[in-house]
Amino acid sequence: MATSTFDLNRERVVAVAAELFARHGYHGTGIAELGKAVGLGRGALYHYIESKEALLYAISRTQVDRMNAHAEQALASALSPEELLHEMARGLLRNIAEHRAEWAVFFRDYSALTGERRDKVIAARERYEGYWRQALDRGVASGALRPAPPLLVKGILGMLNYTYLWFEPDGELSPEELADEYVDLLLRGIRVSS
């Protein structure tokens, strides 16, 4: 399916907004600055966006939706409980490495969203946490993992999510290798001993 010129231009506006918001913060970036960066006047810019908050919503929601789709696919697969955790972590760190600006914006600024937009992003984030809980519960049900406290999911995601602050995809480890290191460390603590 061919992508329209409108869609391509809108994607470019969203991508540039993510870079600017990541660099200067959502509140520190003005519409005039965004227009200049994408080479569009105010009127032309508003042809592609509804508002600055709509940009923040698009940036935030896109990444969480991608991760929910990945988690749903992983959970639907026939992976063992341990491999499921590895795959979910690999997908998250791969996405963070490929979309660092967007994740910086999400983690720092999603709380600037209001009303229904904020509610939808929070619900999508909670759904993602729920998929991690399902993965852990699957391991417990199989007898491979010990029961873990509910807050463990927040701890796991905190460990993975905040790599956006320091991880360099061209560094010593790939996103997948770092994810495996983290999950292996986690599994040593919750795996049922033989």
Side-chain angles (χ1 to χ4, degrees):
M1 181 172 162
T3 304
S4 71
T5 302
F6 175 88
D7 291 336
L8 291 172
N9 285 335
R10 186 173 191 293
E11 286 175 18
R12 185 172 65 88
V13 169
V14 171
V16 171
E19 291 293 331
L20 290 173
F21 293 172
R23 196 173 315 132
H24 306 292
Y26 171 71
H27 295 294
T29 304
I31 287 294
E33 183 181 0
L34 175 60
K36 183 177 180 182
V38 295
L40 295 172
R42 192 174 197 92
L45 183 61
Y46 278 109
H47 175 68
Y48 297 106
I49 63 167
E50 175 190 330
S51 65
K52 185 174 153 184
E53 185 179 347
L55 280 171
L56 177 59
Y57 176 72
I59 292 164
S60 300
R61 186 69 192 262
T62 298
Q63 297 313 313
V64 177
D65 285 351
R66 282 183 181 154
M67 294 320 306
N68 277 326
H70 180 264
E72 289 164 4
Q73 184 178 21
L75 283 161
S77 71
L79 296 172
S80 72
E82 290 187 13
E83 190 54 38
L84 174 60
L85 291 169
H86 277 280
E87 179 54 33
M88 289 176 68
R90 289 177 198 136
L92 179 56
L93 288 192
R94 190 171 37 248
N95 185 277
I96 289 171
E98 293 170 359
H99 301 280
R100 237 169 125 176
E102 290 88 342
W103 282 107
V105 171
F106 174 80
F107 290 125
R108 282 195 325 236
D109 295 318
Y110 86 89
S111 61
L113 293 168
T114 60
E116 188 177 341
R117 288 181 177 133
R118 180 180 170 92
D119 294 345
K120 286 181 178 181
V121 167
I122 289 171
R125 186 193 68 197
E126 288 173 355
R127 188 167 65 249
Y128 186 63
E129 287 182 15
Y131 291 143
W132 276 87
R133 181 82 257 161
Q134 286 178 44
L136 289 169
D137 289 348
R138 187 178 291 180
V140 171
S142 75
L145 304 178
R146 291 185 292 116
L151 285 177
L152 181 63
V153 170
K154 290 193 182 296
I156 294 167
L157 290 175
M159 178 175 63
L160 296 169
N161 286 342
Y162 286 93
T163 58
Y164 87 90
L165 290 170
W166 56 266
F167 182 71
E168 293 295 334
D170 298 329
E172 188 177 320
L173 296 175
S174 71
E176 293 81 5
E177 290 168 332
L178 180 60
D180 286 345
E181 292 284 335
Y182 276 165
V183 172
D184 288 343
L185 180 64
L186 166 72
L187 289 172
R188 282 195 286 275
I190 62 173
R191 187 180 285 128
V192 171
S193 300
S194 320

